[in-house]
Amino acid sequence: MALTELEIKLRRTGGSGPNSQWTWELVDAAGKVQKSGSALGEEHKAFATAKKAREKLAKA
């Protein structure tokens, strides 16, 4: 699966600022969730976590 085929979707599930809780999903073109997870912290940190997961999934 190509790296560009997976879209990162972030959703804040609680908290605010540095205590924000995020849920992220890697979604393919058909809308099927390929991988999901969670992260704690600011939005850019949650996005970076999802981006790393997307890169690992693309290598597999």
Side-chain angles (χ1 to χ4, degrees), residues 3-57:
L3 185 64
T4 58
E5 293 178 4
L6 295 175
E7 178 182 357
I8 296 173
K9 292 192 176 187
L10 284 177
R11 183 175 54 244
R12 187 168 57 100
T13 57
S16 63
N19 295 322
S20 295
Q21 297 172 345
W22 296 89
T23 300
W24 55 264
E25 297 176 336
L26 301 177
V27 182
D28 63 13
K32 183 177 177 187
V33 175
Q34 296 296 316
K35 189 167 181 94
S36 63
S38 62
L40 180 66
E42 307 230 359
E43 183 177 6
H44 67 276
K45 291 182 180 179
F47 185 81
T49 301
K51 187 175 175 183
K52 286 180 186 178
R54 179 175 71 174
E55 290 169 355
K56 284 183 180 180
L57 192 61

